[in-house]
Every structure is written in C-alpha cells, then in structure tokens.
C-alpha cells in the first residue's frame, strides 16, 4: 500500500486521512468479536448443535445443479417460506428468510431505527444487539435482568424505556433462561414500539415446554417480530439461515430493506430439507436434552451451578476462577466462552456437546477442580 | 392476521398504525425490483453467465462435510481471501468477501453514508445504487452519461458533485460500455470522497483489453474501492459471492459493519475452487466473447445497434418498438430486460446466451422485424 504520508505519492493533501470519510458512528465502533474458531479443538463455545444435520440436507446438497449455481436465486426464497409456513402454521407472506438470523436482525434495525433512535433490551444478552445499534447510529437502553442463583427475571419496565425497537432473546443468551410468553405478550401490548423476540434457541426449550414460543401468538400482536435460526437445532450454522416472522404490513416494509438476493440457492434448498425432516429434528433435540441432563448432573457433583437452563448451553457460575478455568480448558483443547465484563466475568458458558465431548470436558474439569 | 382496525382485537389504540414505527426513509421507498425469474424461459435478462461453473466447483460442493454445515463458517473468509489475493496480486488484508457484491455495496453504504449525505453516480447505471441510498437515507446526485450511438462517455464533473461516496460501474450496466481506467484514476484523485469502481463485468472486458481494471492501481489510490462479482464470469450467481478490494485502513472500518458470518461455508469453498480454475474461467470468457461477436454480427444484419459493448450483454437501441419487442420475445418464452424510464424505454438489454439461446433469440427477432 502506498503510505498516504509519503510525499512521493500523488495523493492530494486532503486524502491524507481517508478514514475521515468513514461515518463517525462507525469510526468509534469496536468490531463485534465472534467466538473463536479453532480447528482441532472441542468447540463448546458458540452453541452450535452437537449433532449433524438431517441426512435429507446432504441429499439436497447433492442435488444442487450447475444451473442453480449459474442463475440468480429466488430473491424471495418462496419455496423455503412455503415449507416454513406449513411447518410453523403461518402464512408465507408473514416470513422473510435471511442470511442467518444476524441478517434478519440487520434488516430489522435498518427498517425501524434512524440516527439517534433507541434500542431497548435486557442485559446481559446477545452482544450483537448493541453492535448493530452502534452501526445504525442508535442508542442502547439496557434494563438489567433481576438475577438470582437459579433465575434471570425480566423486569416489566422493559416496556417503558421509550425505545422504538425492543429485543428479547428467549431463551436468553448467555443465560439459557426462559421468559414466560405471557410476560412477553404483556410487554408487547404495553410497548409503544416494535418487539423482537429472538427465538434462536427456542426449539430446545420447546422440548420440555410446548408453550415456550411467541410464534403461535403472532396474529394477536401486530408489533411483534419473531426470529428463528437454523444455526442451532437444525445444525446449519455453516449454511447461514434465519427466518423472520411478523405481520404482513411489517414484512412488506422490511422486504424493501433486505438485500435482493440475500439467501443463496443452496441454503434455500438445505433449509427446506432440514425443516421437512421433523423426526431428525426431534431426535437431535431429545439427544441434546438428554446430554444436558447428564452434564448438569455431573457438574452439580463438581459443585457448579447455573441458572435454570432451557437451551443447549449452561452459564456456569464458577466464581473468581472463571478466567483460570477458561484458560485451563483451552490448554486441554476445549473451548468454552468467557467474557471479560463485570456482569459475566465469574461465569463460563458451556455448550452441550456430544457425549464424548461432554466427557472430555468433565474429565478436564475433574483434574482442574 | 388480526385486522388492526377490528375493534374486537386487544390491540391498543396507538398500535393501529404499527407501520408508524417504520423509518420514514423506508416507508417512502419503493422496493428494488429484480429481473424476472421464469422457469422454462430462455433467460437473457439478468446477465448471468451462459456457461456452467468450473467442474472444480462441483467437486468442492461434493466435499462439503456435515461438520462444515454444523459449525459457524470462518467469519473472515480467510482461505478464500488468500486465494483471491494470490489470484489478483493484492494482500488478503485488502479484501472483504461479501454475500454477493450487493452485500459489499451495503457494507460500503453503511460505512460511509449518514442520513442526509450524498451518493454520486453517473446515470443511467445499476439501479441498486439509488435503492441503497434510499435505504440509508442518503441523497443521490446523478451525472448523465454523454451518450452517442456508439459511446457512453463519463463526464469529469462526476468528481465535483460533493458526494461523500461516488460509484461507477465499469463496465457500466446497462450500457456494457467501458470508461478508461486513466479517467477513473483522475476522478479518484480529484474527488473529495470515496470512489467505488464496480467491476462486476470487467472479466469480459479484460478478455480484449488487459488494462480495463482499476485493481492494479489500488495501492496508488487510498480512496478507491473495487468490487468484483462471482455472479457473472464465474457462473455463481446462485451461490452469492462478491469481493471488495481497498486499502487496509478502509477495509478495517468496513469490517466493523459487515454481518459477522456474512459468507456461508459452502460459498467460501465454491468461490475458492472457481478462482483456482483459471483455464475454465478463460474458456468461459472466450466462448462468451465469440458468441457476442456472432450475436453482434447477426443483430447488425437486422439493423439493430448498441453502444460499443465490452460486457456479456448489449443495450440494443431499438426505438419506439422496444416494449413491443420485449413482449413479443416474452411470448416466445425469451426474457430480455426492458425499463419503462425515459432514458431507457427505447432499448432492450440482451444477455449473451449460449449458441442455442442466441439462435432462438435471433430466430424470434427475424420473425418479428
């Protein structure tokens, strides 16, 4: 690269700080940091599903034709949305498919938030909510969870922050706790704004509580958006697919904002195949919940605790040794998630892995504790 | 959906117009309209490549493991960027991979444009530049091409619109014409802002003019961003992949804005395989240019004309019958592109297809003319 401070280049004076053209909101941002991706490690740090996707997904992958690759994909993901509508009991017009639910979140932020508007969300929660607000030039209003040893309770005051857009991850990340749908419905009614219920992990919660999702109540709440992810219970984090559900008038506005061809043809096909294999999906959830029960039992024996978990992960409250434990596990080639923030620096978040992975984790911890 | 005007629903008064929460910029937007996707038609309307992707792409697709699907992709597309850097003679740190070059454009807009800022571009050009400005709440400043029968010339005044971000598609779409790189370099030097050179179609131009790309001059222009697409010469429109090239300081800022996992694991692999098969790429371009020459010869015999074309498409100036021709071809199951705007409504844009597709087009036109 030519050095802009080098007088030998032909760069005009005013270009000496080309980053001056970058929006101030962006210049002052720290980049969002994703969980570590370390090949060869036992990855219990980013809450992917422990089990492979449906064999139907592999069949769909094998059927992708050169012609499908060559031509633009259906910009509306029509066939996928029809399958999703049939699966979830909604209409295709209530759905937008996204390049991961992160893309769905971006679509939501760009639709509803102008510079200086506010986003409300409980805290601690998914860090991307804050990052996206920064990118959009919006302010973040946090309402702290009321935390006890076994519960994270959502304060009703979340309905009264004045934010134009309010987000709740349910189950919450990183706590793996569930807010009752009845409370979310009350918040939606009380809000003067839009409520996003991010149900990335809800399929695991539905395994034990069939009433855990907001989705059946969509028609009663025209200001509610529900997000689902294929990165967790459908084992398709690598393929990037999320679904957004909302009332048709909101969907129509959000469709203006999404990138035209936001979901590639392969992911559209894999997502449809995954949705249609209900038996595999149910089995993955059952196996995950069984392994979670074993992990919980063994971690309890080690003296660990966590808030009551409904997702495929546990936010283990391990006290002052959290960072030490994180590093010791890392040395044993096991990745868990640690955050160096006052609210979370006495915890590690552990994804429920395969039986072998969980055994490896427990063995490492027994040596350590 | 419950009808918000229905007094029987429990929706509070203020939610009767939930779309009030939508940003004004978005409410007033018309959605960007993509080219028609009609199965069973000869598609000469969206400038996809006529030929299939490299066989290496299919091999890469067959090698995608369940494990790759299950885990999050590399958020930085590192391996793909390394291959691209070696291919294009730049450093990996000068590259961002996007979910199509549309995603790259979105990243650029979000990095540089605040509400009320301006985008400058010549007109007519790629309509998405205007759509994205609308989404971002930015104004568009058009500078008209100086058009003659065979040339579309870019006015130097493009450097002096005062826009924070200036975009030039080179080759231009829909005209298939080329602006000399020497002029773009002059504009980049004169601009008080960032210049995007969108080289979606440049591989076809490079087939006859090795100096058609801005990319070799990136190091001399810290305010220039070059975009490349895999939807055209690499025959991967369905997989969604674009590359953005710029100086490291700009890349670092833009990386803050992109969705973390914006390119799925499959597309990363297919893109790398496509880049590494140089022989296939060269052959696709040679075949496309040979077919373009035949199409040009036959269309000339029919009395048609177009500005000197360097891309895989021709903007045929057909006069007042343009709409009639569009419909007649459509009745013959051949799609070409028509725009109902004063600047373009006497033209149809025709993608160079396979020999059979071009023959079908010519046969249909001979019946018609």
């Amino acid at each position: 690269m030519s050095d802009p401070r080098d007088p030998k280049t032909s760069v005009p004076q005013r270009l000496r700080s080309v980053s001056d053209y970058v929006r101030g909101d962006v210049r002052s941002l720290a980049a969002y940091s994703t969980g570590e991706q370390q090949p060869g490690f036992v990855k219990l740090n980013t809450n992917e599903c422990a089990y492979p996707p449906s064999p139907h997904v592999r069949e769909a992958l094998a059927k992708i034709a050169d012609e499908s690759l060559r031509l633009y994909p259906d910009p509306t993901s029509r066939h996928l949305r029809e399958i999703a509508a049939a699966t979830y009991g909604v209409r295709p017009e209530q759905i937008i498919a996204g390049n991961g639910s992160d893309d769905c979140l971006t679509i939501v932020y760009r639709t509803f938030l102008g510079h200086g508007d506010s986003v409300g969300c409980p805290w601690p929660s998914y860090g991307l909510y804050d990052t996206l607000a920064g990118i959009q030039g919006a302010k973040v209003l946090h309402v702290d969870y009321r935390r006890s040893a076994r519960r994270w309770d959502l304060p009703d005051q979340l309905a009264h922050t004045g934010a134009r857009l309010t987000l709740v991850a349910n189950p919450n990340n990183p706590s793996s706790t569930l807010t009752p749908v009845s409370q979310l419905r009350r918040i939606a009614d009380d809000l003067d704004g839009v409520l996003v219920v991010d149900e990335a992990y809800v399929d695991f919660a539905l395994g034990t509580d069939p009433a855990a999702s907001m989705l059946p109540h969509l028609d009663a709440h025209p200001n509610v958006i529900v997000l689902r992810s294929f990165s967790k219970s459908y084992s398709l984090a690598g393929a990037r697919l999320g679904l957004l559900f909302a009332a048709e008038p909101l969907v129509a506005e959000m469709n203006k904002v999404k990138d035209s061809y936001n979901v590639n043809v392969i992911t559209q096909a894999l997502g449809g195949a995954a949705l249609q294999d209900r038996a595999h999906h149910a089995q993955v959830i059952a196996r995950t919940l069984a392994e979670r029960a074993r992990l919980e039992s063994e971690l309890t024996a080690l003296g660990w605790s966590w808030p009551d978990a409904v997702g495929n992960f546990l936010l283990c409250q391990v006290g002052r040794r959290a960072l030490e434990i994180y590093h010791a596990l890392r040395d044993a080639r096991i990745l868990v998630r640690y955050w160096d923030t006052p609210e979370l620096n006495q915890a590690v978040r552990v994804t429920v892995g395969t039986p072998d992975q969980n055994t490896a984790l427990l063995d490492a911890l027994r040596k350590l504790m």
Side-chain angles (χ1 to χ4, degrees), chain A:
Chain A
M1 220 54 221
S2 66
D3 183 343
R5 291 157 303 184
D6 181 346
K8 284 171 297 191
T9 68
S10 65
V11 178
Q13 179 75 19
R14 66 172 172 278
L15 292 182
R16 287 190 179 187
S17 54
V18 69
S19 66
D20 285 351
Y21 299 126
V22 174
R23 279 174 47 214
D25 292 328
V26 174
R27 265 203 313 275
S28 61
L29 276 182
Y32 175 75
S33 66
T34 56
E36 292 169 275
Q37 317 281 334
Q38 288 282 2
F41 279 59
V42 173
K43 274 190 92 275
L44 303 177
N45 64 331
T46 46
N47 293 353
E48 288 117 334
C49 189
Y51 302 100
S54 157
H56 296 196
V57 165
R58 172 144 302 285
E59 288 162 27
L61 190 67
K63 280 189 201 149
I64 301 292
D66 280 351
E67 197 67 358
S68 301
L69 297 175
R70 186 179 71 80
L71 299 174
Y72 280 98
D74 173 3
T76 72
S77 301
R78 178 82 205 177
H79 185 56
L80 169 64
R81 287 187 300 113
E82 284 169 353
I83 296 170
T87 305
Y88 294 114
V90 300
R91 289 178 295 287
E93 294 71 25
Q94 291 177 290
I95 306 177
I96 295 175
N99 182 40
S101 62
D102 290 358
D103 180 35
C104 296
L105 282 168
T106 294
I107 291 168
V108 168
Y109 275 63
R110 300 189 82 194
T111 302
F112 297 104
L113 294 175
H115 186 88
D117 286 338
S118 298
V119 174
C121 58
W123 185 252
S125 191
Y126 186 31
L128 190 65
Y129 303 152
D130 295 34
T131 304
L132 291 177
I135 293 172
Q136 196 67 4
K139 287 174 293 209
V140 180
L141 304 170
H142 283 157
V143 173
D144 289 342
Y145 275 104
R146 286 193 302 266
R147 296 161 62 170
S148 62
R150 296 193 46 187
R151 297 168 60 100
W152 284 34
D153 288 319
L154 186 66
D156 277 333
Q157 72 197 79
L158 186 66
H160 306 288
T161 62
R164 204 173 171 94
L165 182 69
T166 299
L167 300 105
V168 178
N170 201 44
N172 186 45
N173 174 10
S175 60
S176 205
T177 52
L178 193 73
T179 297
V181 166
S182 56
Q183 189 187 0
L184 293 176
R185 297 189 64 181
R186 205 166 61 231
I187 288 172
D189 282 343
D190 289 351
L191 264 179
D192 184 15
V194 169
L195 175 66
V196 174
V197 183
D198 181 350
E199 298 190 339
Y201 297 98
V202 82
D203 286 329
F204 300 109
L206 288 166
T208 51
D209 175 359
S213 172
M214 189 71 168
L215 205 47
H217 309 286
L218 204 57
D219 280 352
H221 297 283
N223 63 330
V224 165
I225 296 168
V226 174
L227 302 184
R228 293 285 183 99
S229 169
F230 283 66
S231 300
K232 311 302 177 183
S233 64
Y234 287 103
S235 313
L236 286 176
R240 314 307 301 129
L241 183 60
L243 295 176
L244 176 161
F245 301 81
E248 278 97 331
L250 288 191
V251 165
E253 294 293 337
M254 288 186 274
N255 265 325
K256 296 178 186 174
V257 165
K258 84 169 184 68
D259 273 351
S260 309
Y261 300 107
N262 63 329
V263 182
N264 72 82
V265 71
I266 309 160
T267 298
Q268 290 185 32
L270 303 194
L275 279 175
Q276 288 182 310
D277 192 349
R278 303 316 301 160
H280 178 87
H281 189 241
Q283 189 190 45
V284 161
I285 290 163
R287 291 168 74 184
T288 303
L289 297 187
E291 268 304 300
R292 191 182 71 200
R294 178 172 81 97
L295 192 60
E296 292 187 300
S297 163
E298 307 252 13
L299 289 175
T300 301
L302 281 173
W304 281 20
S305 66
W306 50 89
D308 289 350
V310 299
N312 65 332
F313 56 100
L314 306 172
L315 185 67
C316 299
Q317 299 296 328
V318 295
R320 296 190 177 182
R321 293 183 64 193
L323 184 57
E324 178 197 339
I325 290 168
Y326 163 79
H327 280 300
L329 289 173
R330 205 173 187 294
D331 290 343
R333 303 180 76 77
I334 298 170
L335 296 176
V336 298
R337 194 82 191 256
Y338 170 81
W339 293 268
D340 185 19
T341 61
E343 304 87 354
L344 294 170
N345 65 7
Q346 305 215 357
V348 290
R349 193 192 64 188
V350 178
T351 307
V352 178
T354 59
D356 284 354
Q357 290 177 321
N358 298 331
T359 298
L361 171 76
L362 291 162
D363 287 349
L365 287 177
R366 281 190 203 100
K367 277 182 208 153
L368 189 65
M369 301 305 287

